[in-house]
Amino acid sequence: MQLLKITSVPIEYKIQIERPRLELNNAQSPSAKISQTPSKIMMRTQNVKVRLDTSDMRSSIGLKSAPTLISEAAQRGLQAAQRATAEYAQFGNQMSQIQDGATIANITAQKLLRQPDTQLVFLPSTGPEITWQPNSIEKKYQPGHLGIDWKIERNVMDYVPGKFQMSIMQYPKVQIEYLGEPNYVPPSASPNYEEESA
């Protein structure tokens, strides 16, 4: 008869596993800032310049400036003085030759018979002086510019490690159970003790 009952209780546990993961945090999308400078063309023009100088033409018809009139008058005065000096010298020379039959009346008659020189002049005798400067154009081109400033957001990655968790729900044990009755010493101590009749 088997008096001992041995029961083995196994361990009981609970395992929780959480896999590792990589979290990508991208808060903003990439952006670009565009700056544009338009092209330019600068032009500078100068018109034709015509210069008309009519001072010589006006002088030829007697319309002269004050400095020119003064200068010509002084020149004519000097020439008249030289001419008069020459005439008086010639008149004196002729008067000094009376021995050759020269008389004051003859000398005076010769002077009065002299005819002045005449000239045929077309007025005006010269045309205006024309000078000109051609037109000009100056061009300066400045090309445009396009600038792009990229703002690239960096991706933020967070690594979440995995988890391994084991919880013991029941520890292992061995249960020993006695199936027999207790042994009393002395046997008379047993409550079911009956004395044997002789």
Side-chain angles (χ1 to χ4, degrees), residues 144-160:
H145 175 71
L146 181 66
I148 302 176
D149 184 13
W150 286 100
K151 185 178 180 183
I152 301 175
E153 297 292 337
R154 293 187 176 180
N155 294 327
V156 180
M157 292 183 288
D158 294 332
Y159 174 72
V160 181

Side-chain angles (χ1 to χ4, degrees), residues 6-7 24 42 52 62 79 92 139 143 156 168 180-181:
I6 300 174
T7 305
L24 182 63
M42 291 169 282
L52 236 66
Q79 291 174 357
K139 292 182 288 185
V156 180
I168 303 296
E181 294 182 0

Side-chain angles (χ1 to χ4, degrees), residues 12-49:
E12 184 179 343
Y13 57 87
K14 181 181 179 183
I15 297 176
Q16 292 180 344
I17 298 175
E18 187 175 342
R19 294 182 179 181
R21 64 184 184 274
L22 188 64
E23 294 181 350
L24 182 63
N25 183 14
N26 189 3
Q28 295 180 355
S29 301
S31 60
K33 184 179 179 182
I34 300 176
S35 59
Q36 183 178 7
T37 305
S39 57
K40 294 179 182 178
I41 182 166
M42 291 169 282
M43 299 177 67
R44 187 174 64 181
T45 60
Q46 184 175 355
N47 295 330
V48 177
K49 291 183 179 179

